[in-house]
Every structure is written in structure tokens, then in C-alpha cells.
Amino acid sequence: MKISLPAARLGPIFLALALAGCASAPQMQDGILINDPHEGTNRRIHAFNKGVDATLIAPVANRLRGSGEARPRDPSDPIGPMQMVVNAGRNLSLPGKAVNGLLQGRPGDAGRNLARFAVNSTVGLAGLFDPAGDNFGLTERDTDFGATLAAWGVPEGAYLELPLIGPSTARDATGRVVDLVFDPVNNVLSGRDRRAAFGLRVASKAGERARFGDSVDGVLQGSADSYAQVRLIWLMNRRHELGEDRDDFDPYDDVIDPYED
Amino acid sequence: MTISTPMTMSSTHTRIERRGFLGLMAGAGLLAMMPFSAHAQNVEAARAHIQRAVDEVYRVINAGEPAERMFARFEDILSRYADVDVMARSALGPAARQTPPAEFAAYRQAFQGYIGRKYGRRFREFIGSRVEVTGARPLKSFVAVTSVAHLRGRAPMEVEWHVSDRSGQIRFFNIIIEGVNLLSSERAEIAALLARQRGSVAGLAAELRQAG
């Protein structure tokens, strides 16, 4: 891996992250801390993403639902082409996840992802199938460089909604860039192979999004203020994933105590 | 509960001193034990409550009835196992205080149906899966019951139930799925709906009857 060149390119991003962290005072809203100084821009990007979801993702998700691929499947049933693309794309992300596991001081998770990569790349025919999960109980330990930054004590920073990608934070957006630039598979491959691998991973993400499109559509198209709802749900889930969730609020001790009156 | 400390004490203590000390130890022991045993009882009762609720939800899911019948059954389970009153009040926020009782009751009823439909739709995806109640612990003034939903072809999901007896009965008042807090997200949603209705709780109730 050539570290020096990408590292130089990342300088401005770290600077932006540091600045974003202190742009405005975060406030408590609906029981969680929300730091959203760029709300105006974020809302415009959200409207764009919502449009993309309605015109591109939802029709695909509906067709999938019709074909039955969106339903929970029996592990013994044969998998469809959609699931194969999702599997193969996810498989290519495993070496990067293993590196992040090591950087976070979680060698167990790193080893698990690497073993999974070894089994599925060979027995699983370049990751199309998932014998590691189905037969050996080697499930994925999902992680990324955003989680590594969190493990290193970097603050979350401002909430961001990214075009096409969706909800993120300054810390996670930085993590995405680092993951992309330093990815082991990207750095080993070159030329056409590299583009093909990248395309497969994008297709995999789109496939997963379409598969769970039902729940996503429910929130996006069914909420009174879908921007606030997505922001809240995403932040709660992400903080839970990273072990950063605070004490849950108690409606009985809240500003309104129904038993007080 | 055993108090062994006084037995190991030196025999130079007078009887009075020893009795006083024993009394003190027993008192301190009782004080320490009382909230604990009360909690232990609550924790066990809360856990059993959620186990019963989960069992009922599963009976409905696996009965394979049409969606509308299913949602009505979920709403019924909600009304018997959850403190819908405190949930509706908390979701409405400060506006709950200024709402006349009759108007609030209509909103509360609409809220119950809305939650039954909205979360019933999600539960329908759980067909063929199982939920395992894994533990319970005291948290703040209530009890948190933890469970894991094992879904077919997906990673298991953590589901936490918050249970309290402050309504006079043991009831759950919040569900946290993979960190996503039901009351938090409903509070945001209800606030947005109320703003759209220009602060009218009656209008909000009418809209909730259509939503979910």
C-alpha cells in the first residue's frame, strides 16, 4: 500500500472534520443530542435523496417484493442473482473490515472477517455464496474507519446527509473517504479489475438498499418530517452500534410526569 | 441474609455494646437488602410480563391472519401489556398539559391504533423467526428487559423493553430496537404532525386514524 500519497490528500478532510466539530452548539432534541449546524444544506440533499429513492429504488424494491426475493428466506433454499451480487460485493469489503478491526484493537473480529473472506472467496466461488456463514457460523463483523475513529476517541462531529449515500456525520464521512482510499482490495487490484470490483460493491450496496427498501420507504415516504425522522433513527442506531448511546430517557421522570397531576 | 461479623469480634466487648452493634448491623443489612429484593422482584415480574407479551405477539404472527385482523390483535395486545396513556402523553410532549381530557382521550385512542398498525407492519416481517428474552436489569426508575430477535437470513436484532409499575400495573412503555427508541422517534413524528395541524390535537387525532 502506498500510504504517503493518500495521506497527503486526507489532510484537508481532517481539518474539515476538526472545524465541523465546533461549528455550533449541539442540543438535546427528542431525548438525544443532535448536532446539525448544516441543517439547511442537509435538508436540500435529503429532498434530492428522497426523490432518488422514490424514482429509482422504490420501483426496484417493489419488483423484488413481487418476485419474492425481499421475503425472509429459508437458509436451505437456493439464492437468487440479487443475493449473489450482494454477497460478492460484501465479500470484497471484508479485508478492509479486518484492517479496521486490527486498528480498533479487536483482533478477534479482524480474524473472523479474514477467515470469512478466505472461505467465501474459495469455497463460496468468489463470494457469490456464503458457506462461511451458512455452514461454519462465521458471520460478518461489520465495521468501518468511522468506527475506528470513534474507537480512537475522535468526536462524532456534525450530522451530514450525503448525496446518494444518505445519513452520516463528519467523523463517518471522513471514515468513508479513508476506507475508499486505503482499501486493501482496491490497492491490490489495478485498471479494469479495480473498476469491476468497485462497480460490484456499489451494485451490492444498491441491492441491499432495495432489499430492505420496504422499511426505508416506510420512514422516507410515510413520515410527516422525514428529514428529522431519518436523522433521529440513524443517529440512535449508529451510536448504539458504536457503543456511544447515552442513558435512555424516562418518560416518567420527563418534563411531563403524567402521575403528577 | 447472614451477619457473621459480630461473631468474629473480640470477647472484651460488653453485652450491651455487642447487642447494639448487632442491631446496627441488622438494621444496615435490612436497609441495604430491602430495595434490592424489591428490585429483584420487579425485575423478575417485568421479565415475565415481556415473555407473556412476546408469546402473544408470536401467536398472532404465526396464525397467518389477514393484515387488518392482525393489526387489530396487535392493538389489543398493546392495550393490555403497554402503558399506552404514558406513551401517548410522552409522544405529545408539553402540549399534553393544555389538552382537555376528552380531546386527549380521543388522541390517545387514535395513537393506540396508529402504533398497533405501524409496528404491527414491522412485526409481520418476523414470520418464521423467534424472539428470545435474554435478561432484565433495573435502570433508573424502571426495569430494562433485553431480548434478541432471531430473523431468518438476517443478523439477530437486539430488542430492549422498558417496563414500569408506576401506572399501578406492570406495563412496558418503550421498545428500543437496535438502539432506535420508539418514544423518541414517535415524539419527533407527533411533533411534526401537530405542527402540520397548526397545534390542533383534534386534527392530530384525525390524522393518526389514517396513518401508520
Side-chain angles (χ1 to χ4, degrees):
Chain A
M1 255 195 287
K2 287 166 286 175
I3 304 281
S4 55
L5 187 70
R9 265 187 271 157
L10 289 174
I13 295 157
F14 278 110
L15 189 69
L17 172 72
L19 288 174
C22 52
S24 85
Q27 53 173 335
M28 285 301 286
Q29 205 179 315
D30 303 310
I32 75 160
L33 200 65
I34 291 190
N35 177 15
D36 191 359
H38 317 299
E39 184 165 347
T41 314
N42 281 343
R43 277 191 183 270
R44 279 192 289 279
I45 296 171
H46 177 78
F48 168 75
N49 285 346
K50 196 171 163 177
V52 170
D53 182 82
T55 51
L56 289 177
I57 307 285
V60 178
N62 281 336
R63 202 169 313 151
L64 279 177
R65 200 166 33 241
S67 75
E69 267 209 65
R71 277 201 292 275
R73 79 183 172 92
D74 195 299
S76 55
D77 286 351
I79 61 171
M82 180 82 183
Q83 188 59 43
M84 287 186 191
V85 170
V86 169
N87 283 352
R90 279 198 89 97
N91 189 53
L92 290 177
S93 72
L94 287 169
K97 285 173 182 168
V99 171
N100 275 309
L102 284 178
L103 292 175
Q104 292 159 21
R106 297 187 176 102
D109 285 4
R112 205 180 168 87
N113 281 336
L114 222 48
R116 188 177 156 79
F117 179 69
V119 171
N120 283 352
S121 299
T122 53
V123 189
L125 304 178
L128 292 178
F129 299 93
D130 180 16
D134 292 343
N135 305 323
F136 301 104
L138 275 173
T139 50
E140 184 188 297
R141 290 289 179 266
D142 195 15
T143 191
D144 49 64
F145 196 70
T148 301
L149 288 174
W152 291 352
V154 175
E156 186 181 65
Y159 177 76
L160 299 174
E161 183 148 341
L162 305 175
L164 299 174
I165 291 167
S168 192
T169 57
R171 183 176 64 194
D172 283 327
T174 309
R176 275 181 177 277
V177 176
V178 172
D179 277 330
L180 196 68
V181 174
F182 288 101
D183 186 79
V185 173
N186 264 350
N187 280 284
V188 165
L189 299 176
S190 60
R192 254 183 61 186
D193 291 345
R194 189 172 175 168
R195 283 195 296 277
F198 184 73
L200 189 58
R201 285 170 72 174
V202 172
S204 163
K205 289 269 181 209
E208 276 187 323
R209 175 79 186 275
R211 197 178 157 195
F212 297 117
D214 216 6
S215 310
V216 177
D217 285 347
V219 176
L220 270 186
Q221 317 297 346
S223 305
D225 180 355
S226 63
Y227 173 75
Q229 197 62 206
V230 166
R231 178 178 65 187
L232 183 65
I233 291 176
W234 188 85
L235 281 174
M236 287 193 287
N237 181 247
R238 182 64 174 162
R239 286 174 187 168
H240 178 75
E241 243 173 40
L242 301 178
E244 290 184 329
D245 34 4
R246 281 150 232 263
D247 246 1
D248 299 296
F249 82 101
D250 180 351
Y252 300 93
D253 280 345
D254 212 18
V255 256
I256 35 152
D257 185 343
Y259 306 113
E260 221 172 37
D261 305 326
Chain B
M1 166 169 84
T2 54
I3 299 168
S4 55
T5 327
M7 304 305 287
T8 61
M9 284 182 61
S10 135
S11 56
T12 54
H13 281 280
T14 67
R15 234 187 121 201
I16 288 290
E17 271 176 335
R18 172 166 288 196
R19 184 183 285 168
F21 185 77
L22 260 172
L24 203 70
M25 285 299 290
L30 266 178
L31 272 178
M33 291 297 284
M34 263 171 56
F36 175 74
S37 63
H39 253 136
Q41 241 173 33
N42 278 345
V43 168
E44 216 16 76
R47 189 193 166 116
H49 183 75
I50 294 308
Q51 184 68 62
R52 277 195 300 275
V54 166
D55 289 346
E56 279 209 40
V57 166
Y58 268 83
R59 233 170 290 148
V60 173
I61 291 175
N62 292 322
E65 287 179 299
E68 288 310 314
R69 287 277 304 261
M70 216 178 218
F71 298 155
R73 287 195 193 273
F74 283 133
E75 189 186 333
D76 172 57
I77 293 173
L78 196 68
S79 72
R80 285 182 289 117
Y81 287 93
D83 187 352
V84 178
D85 204 75
V86 86
M87 292 173 80
R89 223 170 260 279
S90 176
L92 190 52
R97 277 191 185 281
Q98 284 108 47
T99 308
E103 209 171 298
F104 180 82
Y107 152 74
R108 181 209 166 283
Q109 202 57 38
F111 179 84
Q112 179 173 300
Y114 157 76
I115 294 291
R117 286 188 299 279
K118 184 169 175 178
Y119 291 86
R121 232 178 277 281
R122 295 275 172 279
F123 285 151
R124 277 191 84 196
E125 297 172 13
F126 291 2
I127 295 177
S129 63
R130 66 195 166 82
V131 172
E132 186 189 347
V133 176
T134 50
R137 66 181 196 283
L139 179 67
K140 290 185 167 185
S141 72
F142 51 88
V143 177
V145 178
T146 51
S147 65
V148 178
H150 299 274
L151 307 177
R152 272 206 306 217
R154 285 196 214 173
M157 278 195 326
E158 271 175 63
V159 182
E160 191 170 291
W161 310 72
H162 289 176
V163 183
S164 175
D165 60 3
R166 285 179 67 175
S167 66
Q169 285 164 310
I170 296 174
R171 291 281 187 265
F172 76 81
F173 61 86
N174 206 353
I175 308 176
I176 294 98
I177 304 171
E178 286 290 323
V180 179
N181 188 311
L182 181 150
L183 274 188
S184 280
S185 43
E186 287 315 324
R187 188 179 265 211
E189 179 66 7
I190 298 292
L193 284 171
L194 190 64
R196 198 152 82 180
Q197 293 293 329
R198 291 189 197 83
S200 155
V201 175
L204 169 68
E207 193 160 354
L208 280 182
R209 272 179 225 118
Q210 311 297 319

